[in-house]
Amino acid sequence: MNSADDSPGGSLMTMARLGQPPPPQLLKPPIVVIDGHELFGASLTFALRDQGFDAHHLTANAGAVAIVRQVDRLPAGLAVLDLHLGHDKHGRWLDAVGLVGQLHARHWAVLILGGSRDSVRMAGAVAAGAIGTVSKSDTLRVLLDSVFTAAAGGEVMPETERSEWLLRYQGYQTQRRELDQHLARLTPRERKVLELLDQGSCAQTIAEQLVVSLTTVRAQIRSILAKLEVNSQLEAVALLNVRSLL
């Protein structure tokens, strides 16, 4: 009977620690790199293949539906997913956190590529089932070591850190519900005025665009501030921006 270190997973983790490429016979699960920056994704994929991994590069340009279809053609493995996928070729924003959930439901392990400023989305990704995170600013050696460990089924995020992310997620969800309750108080026209304020339009410009009097727009702005319980247009716009991050 083989020991844990003699198993494929144990062998991969040992090789990851030693910086050695694993032999092809141990590489059963495939790895897909899903990235919004083609050069970075292609470079990482090439480096993984050079280490003996069955790696595939899927670009955000194809769109979420196409990405999922391509993943469905492969046996479940490890997805290295960029938290900033950007837009597809049709200009549609790609929701990386939502993609984590889809991959997790298909029994894929998901390792997130993110940064220190991604707290809200990182928390959402962990809550959706991501097994860990690694910074894109890390060296290629660190990235590869993290992928080696994840591919071997090793721990890439301590349970204490996971618990902290889940607590953050719960806090963000509470904040989101509170903001939604405030924004739900606005009429459709008031919501439109707030969005135009967010775009940098002044009251006079809004009046001209909506074909109403300046007095009407100013009254709507006062109503917006009262309903959102803020004291200035800047605070109202800030609430809208915070909600977009959640």
Side-chain angles (χ1 to χ4, degrees):
M1 181 175 179
N2 293 335
S3 65
D5 287 339
D6 292 329
S7 68
S11 297
L12 277 174
M13 293 194 342
T14 299
M15 292 174 183
R17 290 194 295 270
L18 297 176
Q20 298 175 351
Q25 64 267 27
L26 295 182
L27 301 178
K28 294 182 180 179
I31 298 176
V32 294
V33 178
I34 307 171
D35 187 76
H37 305 84
E38 189 166 349
L39 180 59
F40 177 89
S43 299
L44 180 57
T45 302
F46 179 81
L48 289 170
R49 289 174 179 170
D50 190 53
Q51 294 293 314
F53 284 89
D54 176 24
H56 306 259
H57 182 211
L58 307 181
T59 64
N61 186 56
V65 174
I67 288 173
V68 172
R69 285 176 178 168
Q70 292 180 68
V71 167
D72 282 342
R73 297 191 185 106
L74 299 168
L78 173 67
V80 183
L81 175 64
D82 187 359
L83 205 53
H84 297 278
L85 292 176
H87 298 82
D88 65 15
K89 60 185 177 183
H90 301 294
R92 294 172 298 204
W93 177 257
L94 296 181
D95 177 18
V97 174
L99 197 52
V100 172
Q102 294 186 64
L103 293 169
H104 182 67
R106 288 167 167 77
H107 308 293
W108 280 76
V110 183
L111 180 64
I112 291 294
L113 290 171
S116 59
R117 298 182 180 180
D118 298 322
S119 181
V120 174
R121 278 183 286 183
M122 198 79 82
V126 173
I131 62 171
T133 66
V134 60
S135 175
K136 293 182 72 172
S137 62
D138 285 335
T139 65
L140 180 60
R141 182 69 265 166
V142 171
L143 286 173
L144 289 176
D145 285 347
S146 297
V147 173
F148 273 35
T149 301
E155 182 183 80
V156 291
M157 176 180 287
E159 193 58 38
T160 53
E161 183 180 350
R162 176 176 298 279
S163 297
E164 290 174 1
W165 279 116
L166 293 177
L167 283 175
R168 289 189 194 182
Y169 176 75
Q170 293 172 6
Y172 293 140
Q173 288 298 97
T174 298
Q175 187 178 4
R176 177 179 180 173
R177 286 192 294 270
E178 292 174 351
L179 287 175
D180 282 346
Q181 289 173 0
H182 280 73
L183 291 171
R185 300 172 184 172
L186 305 182
T187 66
R189 178 50 63 94
E190 289 170 345
R191 184 62 180 257
K192 179 63 176 179
V193 169
L194 179 58
E195 291 171 352
L196 290 172
L197 288 172
D198 181 43
Q199 295 170 16
S201 300
C202 64
Q204 181 62 52
T205 301
I206 294 173
E208 294 171 357
Q209 183 170 341
L210 299 181
V211 195
V212 296
S213 69
L214 179 59
T215 301
T216 297
V217 172
R218 285 175 173 168
Q220 290 171 332
I221 292 176
R222 288 195 296 272
S223 178
I224 290 170
L225 300 186
K227 289 180 178 179
L228 296 183
E229 300 178 12
V230 295
N231 298 314
S232 69
Q233 296 178 33
L234 186 61
E235 289 182 70
V237 168
L239 281 181
L240 188 63
N241 288 331
V242 169
R243 176 60 186 84
S244 69
L245 294 174
L246 299 174

